[in-house]
Amino acid sequence: MVATQRHTKSSSQMETRAPEKEPQFRTGKESRWFVRTLLWVVLVGGMFMVGQGLRYHFNLAQIEEIN
């Protein structure tokens, strides 16, 4: 028969946990993060839209030139 072994953690291997505390919610920090992220998204989206507008304008000018 095969003997089974139980693996136990020694005291040095056991996880240490912080005492149970209520999580802190910093509204000012979260708001600044949200606004900064929103500005980046608007900036990148705006650059994309300007690029698409320029592309459309140049294609339209080329089609008019051909006609």
Side-chain angles (χ1 to χ4, degrees), residues 45-65:
M47 289 173 60
F48 175 77
M49 290 175 64
V50 167
Q52 292 299 314
L54 288 172
R55 183 175 153 229
Y56 175 76
H57 170 71
F58 289 130
N59 282 341
L60 189 61
Q62 185 179 20
I63 287 174
E64 289 176 0
E65 179 86 18

Side-chain angles (χ1 to χ4, degrees), residues 11-60:
S11 62
S12 63
Q13 293 175 333
M14 291 194 131
E15 294 180 17
T16 57
R17 290 186 159 195
E20 297 292 328
K21 289 187 201 176
E22 185 132 347
Q24 295 178 354
F25 186 70
R26 301 180 187 131
T27 57
K29 184 177 181 181
E30 296 296 323
S31 295
R32 283 192 306 271
W33 178 84
F34 176 77
V35 169
R36 187 181 318 137
T37 304
L38 179 66
L39 288 175
W40 275 111
V41 169
V42 168
L43 178 69
V44 170
M47 289 173 60
F48 175 77
M49 290 175 64
V50 167
Q52 292 299 314
L54 288 172
R55 183 175 153 229
Y56 175 76
H57 170 71
F58 289 130
N59 282 341
L60 189 61

